[in-house]
Amino acid sequence: MSSPSPLHTQTQSSSGSIVHDVFHAYRLNVPASLQVIDAFLCYVLATGIIQLIYAMSVGSFPFNSFLAGFLSCVGVFVLTVSLRMQLSERNLKDPNNRWQGLSKKRAVADWLFCNFILHMAVLNFLG
Amino acid sequence: MRLPLSLLLVAVFSSIIAAAFQGQSNVVLVVFEDQVMLKTHSRFVDSLKAIGKTVEVKQANSESFDLRADGEYVYDSIVLLCPTATKMERKLSLDSLVRFVDAGHNLFVAAGHGYSDYTSKVASSIGVDLDYKRNKMTDHQQPFQSLDDGSHTIIRAGGLVQSKYLFGDENIKASDIVFSGPGATLFTDNELIDKVMWGSGSCYSTDDSRRPLSKIPRVAGAASVLAAALSTRTESRASYFGSIDTLSNDAFDKAGKKHEKALTSFLAWTVGHAGVLRTRNLVHSSIDDSGSLANEFRVKDTIKFSIDVQEWDGGKGVWSPYVADDMQVEFVMLDPWVRERLHYSGNENGTYTATIPVPDQIGVYKFNIQYFRPGLSPIVLMKVVPVRPYLHNEYERFIGMASPYYASSFSMLIGVFLLGLVILYGNKGEDGEHAKAD
């Protein structure tokens, strides 16, 4: 990427180029494993929103099923964000980070265990 | 030794049961004022014999009126044709009469000009408030000419309940019936009594019909009660008729056949010859295949409700089907949630059926039939049934509308599994490159 010329100041740079810059910086700086996690988080978020729109449009009739489906998205999202925080190198460099003594494998094991409990509840509640 | 004893017991019990089904007694006690009335009112009383009753006649000055023998009532009905008799209270107390009616027996009381306090009390005990004893109903517009002496106190009735049960024929007109005696009104606190015959618009009560009125009459017009009928909650009946004079043979001759038929029918109705209803075989079942329990329904069920309604046919002495199109059954939880017409099925048991959709509301309901018609014994019937929600295994296993939720839950599960594989095994090399780059 060429450095912007003095004529192209902040006012000149379009919003499209900002998004492009941010995305480029993200691809460059964030490890691939975290990028996979971020993609998964986007998928979970989209699924949750779609369910919410569906329930608002057709009604809340099997309400337990709706709660199970929607809360499984919320739960997975929260757990996966927690996992991402523990896997991020930048967080590990922070001296105040309380996960510093823990291994990444342990973080993944915690994440899987929590997901196991979450989905037991979800499948029970799904009806 | 024991076998004959038990046989005897069986015989005794079966005769008791048979007696209970046929009614305790078929004897009617008729109380006259004196020997003369026995002759002048013979046709009215003989009409009871014609419908198969045994008549026992007593005079008001008889020594005793023992209604009970061995703890049971001797009589089926009492007919009081003694409006002016005094000293009755001690022999046949008001209290014993009320208990007699409460126990399921019938009472007919006739009033007349100059009635006694006793008659007034008997009438008020069934809900009839008599006018002053010196007053007579007077009608200058349409007196009954062939018996009139110029005082216009022998009048024609102005209206009556058109009922074949009460007066024997639906086509009997009010003007066929001749009346001479005091007017009356009904007490408002007795909801079971109905006025069945009333005065014309031009009649009023006065003690001297030849003088103009000086004060407002206590009873006047269509509000004046000439005859009233009470159907009690114990399926007994009590009737009032205000004119003893027009029940005589002489009056029957002069007033005509319709007058005689209406009043003898009214007496026959009082002693339970006509218009007696009974209900049998209340059956309710679910049409849907929901219930393992017979007396329990599920919300949104459909109930098939049936009941036999039968009418006593006095002429043949059998119960025959009662045919009507105005009966209904309610399905009540505080308020009626469903009200359905009962349809006669046409069979010889008088079976009525209705299809009741159970509302989508759990709770304790009752079937309720309240059927009050003039001349017919009231039908008041309630049966409590619970309505339960769906059991957990009565829902559909999979609901089509919930399929997006199923899909999302399983996609989360699979997604977590795949992401786990990627994190643990898939990205070691790239991670290594980034580590080097860092």
Side-chain angles (χ1 to χ4, degrees), chain A residues 75-89:
Chain A
V76 167
F77 189 86
V78 169
L79 292 174
T80 310
V81 166
S82 307
L83 175 70
R84 190 188 187 284
M85 288 164 78
Q86 295 186 52
L87 294 186
S88 167
E89 294 291 340

Side-chain angles (χ1 to χ4, degrees), chain A residues 32-33 43 51 54 65 119 127, chain B residues 397 401 408 411 413 427 430:
Chain A
S33 63
Y43 167 67
Q51 282 180 82
Y54 176 78
S65 298
H119 280 95
Chain B
R397 184 63 194 86
M401 273 176 75
S408 115
S411 85
L413 197 58
N427 56 355
E430 287 184 28

